Amino acid sequence: MRNRKSKASAAAEKKKQGTMTDNQGKKIVVASTNPVKVRAALAGLQRMFPGQEFLAEGISVPSGVADQPMSDQETLQGALNRVQRAREKQPEADFWVGLEGGVDRVGSDLTTFAWVVVQAGEKIGKARSGTFFLPPPVAQLVAEGMELGHANDQIFSQVNSKQKGGAVGILTQGMLDRQELYVQAVLLALVPFKSPELY
């Protein structure tokens, strides 16, 4: 009996610290119902921890920032807020993941990227995706207040492109899509969980 309790206590402590403990299925709560974000979070965790089983669920939570974040800091804050609210909504999960897409100015040009925040227990990992420049017609609409996904749909005659390949999928003509872009950022956000002794 004592041995069972000690094992349970050890598992609880490891969960609190955000370390991987066993091969039982881990629950991922993604702070969005966008299927691209849910798939990216799941794929990143599966790739980083190939011997572990995961189950991902997307839930709707407010980001606490503008629908179209217009700076690096605002975008990161949106991802942090999403994780916090997802954790409040489903505290029993093993991982909470927030992905927030945003834009920022570089000179007269507009760039786009995403921030990813992953939390497990009390440990948090953060990473930013690759960045690319938006074409002027899209950038103009965003600067005028339109959300990037809607601007892409209007300029490129798409429907709900943000839940498909996104701007990067359109502009690379399918060589790189939004999910793949996000997966890399999820992997980088998981570095503290892969090498916990260093974080």
Side-chain angles (χ1 to χ4, degrees), residues 161-180:
S161 59
K162 67 181 182 179
Q163 293 196 7
K164 299 174 185 174
V168 67
I170 296 169
L171 295 171
T172 64
Q173 298 181 27
M175 296 302 295
L176 175 66
D177 63 18
R178 194 181 191 200
Q179 180 176 324
E180 188 176 349

Side-chain angles (χ1 to χ4, degrees), residues 10 20 43 53 57 63 79 108 111 116 122 131 138 144 194 197:
M20 306 299 288
E53 293 183 7
E57 177 186 355
S63 68
S108 60
T111 63
V116 174
E122 299 305 317
T131 302
V138 175
E144 292 171 357
K194 189 70 170 179
E197 69 282 2

Side-chain angles (χ1 to χ4, degrees), residues 115-185:
W115 269 100
V116 174
V117 175
V118 179
Q119 182 165 0
E122 299 305 317
K123 189 182 292 293
I124 296 178
K126 295 171 282 187
R128 198 176 114 156
S129 75
T131 302
F132 60 99
F133 287 82
L134 292 170
V138 175
Q140 181 61 37
L141 289 178
V142 174
E144 292 171 357
M146 186 177 291
E147 189 178 345
L148 177 57
H150 297 153
N152 288 328
D153 288 349
Q154 181 170 317
I155 295 298
F156 300 112
S157 301
Q158 299 281 320
V159 177
N160 203 19
S161 59
K162 67 181 182 179
Q163 293 196 7
K164 299 174 185 174
V168 67
I170 296 169
L171 295 171
T172 64
Q173 298 181 27
M175 296 302 295
L176 175 66
D177 63 18
R178 194 181 191 200
Q179 180 176 324
E180 188 176 349
L181 184 71
Y182 284 178
V183 167
Q184 186 179 64

